[in-house]
Amino acid sequence: EAGVTQFPSHSVIEKGQTVTLRCDPISGHDNLYWYRRVMGKEIKFLLHFVKESKQDESGMPNNRFLAERTGGTYSTLKVQPAELEDSGVYFCASSHLSTLNTIYFGEGSWLTVV
Amino acid sequence: AQSVTQLDSHVSVSEGTPVLLRCNYSSSYSPSLFWYVQHPNKGLQLLLKYTSAATLVKGINGFEAEFKKSETSFHLTKPSAHMSDAAEYFCVVIRNTGNQFYFGTGTSLTVIP
C-alpha cells in the first residue's frame, strides 16, 4: 500500500512568488491534514479536511495560504505571495474516518523562500 | 489546553547504552499520547501510542514508553541504543475527541559509536 505522498520534496522560491504543494493521501483515507514546521519551531497544525470539506482551518496563519481538496482525493496548499517566514517543512497526513488518532505522515515538502 | 514539553532538545548516548527521552504533557482531557520519529530527510514515523489502555506501551524498534498520570509524563526509553536510532523524536498529544496533534519541540538523539 502506498503511503502519503507529497510533491515537491524540495522547493526554493523567491519572496513574492507562488508555490503550490500537493499531497496524495493513502487511498481510502477521508481525513487529510496539513502541518508545518518553520525553522526552530515545533510542528504545528494548519488544517483538517474530511473528504472535500474543511473541518478545521484554525491553524492557517493568514490569507496568503489556501488549501483545497477537490473531489476529496488529493489536496493542494498554495502560498501566494510567499514570504521569508514561510520557509520550513510542510507535512501532510491522512487517516481513516473512524481512526482519528492513527494518522500517517508524508515525508514533507521542504520550502525555502529567499 | 493541550501541550507537551520535551525536556531535552539534544540527547547523546553511546551505542549499546540506554536511551531516555523525556516528555511531560498537560491536558484538560484524558489524553492520547504518541511518540514519532523523523530520520534525516524522511517523514514522521509512528513509534508508539497510548490511548488509555495499558500504561506501558511497547513500540517498534525496541522502544517503549510509560504513561504516568501522577507525574504527567510519557518518557520514551530503549534498553540499548543502536546507531540507526539517531534521529529526531517528537512527543505528541491529542485530546480524545479532537483532531489536532500538538507536537513537542523535538529531541535530537545522537548515538556515539
Side-chain angles (χ1 to χ4, degrees), chain B residues 8-103:
Chain B
D8 306 293
S9 58
H10 299 278
V11 170
S12 184
V13 300
S14 296
E15 188 177 17
T17 64
V19 176
L20 169 63
L21 305 182
R22 298 182 293 167
C23 172
N24 285 96
Y25 69 91
S26 67
S27 176
S28 305
Y29 303 84
S30 180
S32 293
L33 292 156
F34 307 77
W35 277 97
Y36 278 83
V37 61
Q38 185 182 18
H39 288 91
N41 299 315
K42 296 291 185 183
L44 292 161
Q45 182 183 21
L46 178 65
L47 273 179
L48 49 80
K49 65 179 180 180
Y50 166 77
T51 54
S52 72
T55 56
L56 182 61
V57 183
K58 294 188 183 298
I60 62 172
N61 301 334
F63 284 94
E64 62 181 37
E66 186 171 7
F67 174 74
K68 292 187 177 180
K69 188 175 181 179
S70 61
E71 299 176 11
T72 61
S73 69
F74 190 58
H75 301 334
L76 182 70
T77 61
K78 182 173 180 177
S80 176
H82 191 273
M83 294 300 295
S84 61
D85 295 328
E88 191 161 18
Y89 292 78
F90 296 93
C91 183
V92 182
V93 67
I94 180 173
R95 68 177 190 269
N96 281 340
T97 57
N99 61 293
Q100 291 191 26
F101 275 39
Y102 296 88
F103 283 78

Side-chain angles (χ1 to χ4, degrees), chain A residues 10 33 35 37 42-43 45 48 56 58 91 100-103 105-107 110, chain B residues 32 34 36 38 41-44 49 51 88 90 98-101 103-105:
Chain A
H10 293 79
Y33 309 83
Y35 285 79
R37 188 183 194 191
E42 65 267 32
I43 300 170
F45 170 84
H48 170 209
D56 182 351
S58 61
F91 292 103
L100 274 177
N101 64 9
T102 303
I103 70 174
F105 284 85
E107 295 193 351
W110 302 68
Chain B
S32 293
F34 307 77
Y36 278 83
Q38 185 182 18
N41 299 315
K42 296 291 185 183
L44 292 161
K49 65 179 180 180
T51 54
E88 191 161 18
F90 296 93
N99 61 293
Q100 291 191 26
F101 275 39
F103 283 78
T105 50

Side-chain angles (χ1 to χ4, degrees), chain A residues 66-101:
Chain A
L66 175 64
E68 295 180 319
R69 193 183 181 193
T70 306
T73 54
Y74 71 90
S75 173
T76 58
L77 179 64
K78 180 189 287 188
V79 185
Q80 180 182 31
E83 297 290 344
L84 298 178
E85 64 264 25
D86 300 331
S87 296
V89 187
Y90 290 77
F91 292 103
C92 178
S94 71
S95 71
H96 279 296
L97 201 58
S98 60
T99 55
L100 274 177
N101 64 9

